[in-house]
Amino acid sequence: MTLFQQTAERALDYVRKQIGPDGAPSVEMSFDPSFGESFTGREAREKLTETLGADPGFTLADEAFSAMVSLMLLASTDARPDRELIAPLFEQVERCRWKRRYRFLPESGLPADTDCTAMATGALHELGMLRVPDLQAAVRELTVAASHEPADSDDLWPWVHLVYWEDGAEPGTLSRGRKHDPVVSANALYTLHLAGTPERMEERAVRDATTRYLVAHLESGRWLGGTRYYPSPRAFLHALSRVCARHPEEAAALLGPARKALAELGEAENALEIALHALAADNLGVSDGQDERRTRLAESQDSDGSWDSGAYYRMGRFAVHFGSRYLTTVFAMRALREVR
C-alpha cells in the first residue's frame, strides 16, 4: 500500500468514527476565513447578533450540507462505500427534503435551494438510490428555478438557475432574493447532464444557457474572487471540473477555459485548498504538481487521520465561513483515493 493509500485509509477511519446515527457532524463557523477562532451552529445566531448586529432569523445547527457533500464525493469513487457509511448520511439528507427539493437546514424557515437539491439528487442517483425517472423529475423541478429575466437585468441570465426557487410553493419560508452563483450553476449542470439528453425545450435552454454563463464567468476573471457562497476560486474550479470529467462531450466548451484558469493559480496554503486543487486537476486531466500536492496532504495529516478546518462555504450576506475537520478530511480522502 502506498503512502497516499495509507493516508486515505486513515482518513476513512476518521470519517467513519465521525458519522453517527444522526449523520455527519455539523460544520463550525468563523468570521475568520483561516478558522483561527470558530463557533458552533447552535452558537451562531447569538454570535451574529452580538458581532454583526444582525439576526439571520433561523438557527444554524444540524445542517445537512456536510452530508450532501459527503455523498457527492463518496458517489464519485470507483469503490462504492458500504451501506453502514451511507445510510445515516442518506437519512440526514432526507430530513432536509421537501418534495423534490432539498434544504441546507431542517425545519429552519430557510427554503430549499438549487445547490443542495442538485448535489443531493445527483449523488443519490450515482449511488443507485434514485431511479432515472425520479432524477428526471428532480431536473424538471430544478428547471422551475431558472431565471427568465433579460441578461442585462440585475446580473441575471435567462435560463440559468437561481439559487432559490421564487415560485412561493414552499410553505413557511420567505423569499431569499433572485441571484445566481457559479458554483451552484456548475453543480446543477452536473445533475442536469446525469438525467440524459433533455426532451423538453426548457431543459435544453437551461443546459445551454448555463454552459454559456460558466464560460463567461471563467473568461471574465471574476472567478478568482470566489463566489457569493463559495469564497475559494478552487471550490468553483472543482465544481466545474466535475462536469468536465463526468460529461466530457457535453462540457467540451468548458474544458479549455477551466484548464487555463487552473494554470493561473499558485499553490494552495491549507489542506482543504490543496485537496480542491488536486481534485480539479485530476478531473481536468492535469498531472503537473499532483504528486507534490498529495505529498503535502499526507505530511500534514494529524494523528487521528484528519486535517484542519478550512473555509469551504459562506453565508451570502454575512462574512461567516463554514467548515470543519470532517469536511476537509472528506475532500482530502477523496483526493488521495484518486491515485491508481
Side-chain angles (χ1 to χ4, degrees), residues 24 49 56 80 82 106 111 113 139 165 196 213 239 245 263 273 298 323 330 339-340:
T49 303
R80 291 295 173 88
D82 59 59
D113 64 88
V139 165
W165 280 268
Y213 170 70
E273 296 279 294
V330 173
V339 181
R340 301 289 185 261

Side-chain angles (χ1 to χ4, degrees), residues 31 34 51 83 86 89 91 103 113 149 191 195 210 217 287 295 329 332 335:
F31 297 113
S34 65
T51 305
R83 184 156 296 276
I86 290 299
L89 297 174
E91 291 172 6
R103 302 162 172 154
D113 64 88
E149 298 294 329
T191 298
T210 302
H217 185 68
S287 59
T295 298
T329 302

Side-chain angles (χ1 to χ4, degrees), residues 10-122:
R10 287 196 295 272
L12 179 58
D13 287 343
Y14 174 86
V15 168
R16 287 187 185 282
K17 291 174 183 175
Q18 293 297 305
I19 295 175
D22 294 329
S26 187
V27 289
E28 293 194 342
M29 299 167 204
S30 180
F31 297 113
D32 176 7
S34 65
F35 268 75
E37 294 183 6
S38 63
F39 47 90
T40 68
R42 298 194 184 283
E43 301 169 310
R45 192 168 183 177
E46 182 179 352
K47 287 279 188 182
L48 266 64
T49 303
E50 287 179 357
T51 305
L52 303 178
D55 184 347
F58 48 83
T59 179
L60 287 158
D62 304 322
E63 50 83 17
F65 179 75
S66 294
M68 294 171 190
V69 173
S70 302
L71 291 174
M72 175 188 77
L73 293 168
L74 292 168
S76 54
T77 59
D78 284 347
R80 291 295 173 88
D82 59 59
R83 184 156 296 276
E84 182 182 355
L85 188 66
I86 290 299
L89 297 174
F90 169 73
E91 291 172 6
Q92 185 179 15
V93 169
E94 282 297 288
R95 289 194 291 273
C96 287
R97 181 168 64 85
W98 181 78
K99 296 188 176 180
R100 297 190 186 277
R101 305 178 186 182
Y102 288 83
R103 302 162 172 154
F104 189 95
L105 294 159
E107 302 301 328
S108 64
L110 187 68
D113 64 88
T114 54
D115 197 24
C116 288
T117 300
M119 274 196 294
T121 55

Side-chain angles (χ1 to χ4, degrees), residues 287-303:
S287 59
D288 290 351
Q290 288 292 76
D291 283 346
E292 290 82 357
R293 291 182 192 104
R294 290 192 170 94
T295 298
R296 289 179 66 196
L297 280 178
E299 291 177 346
S300 61
Q301 186 181 42
D302 284 345
S303 59

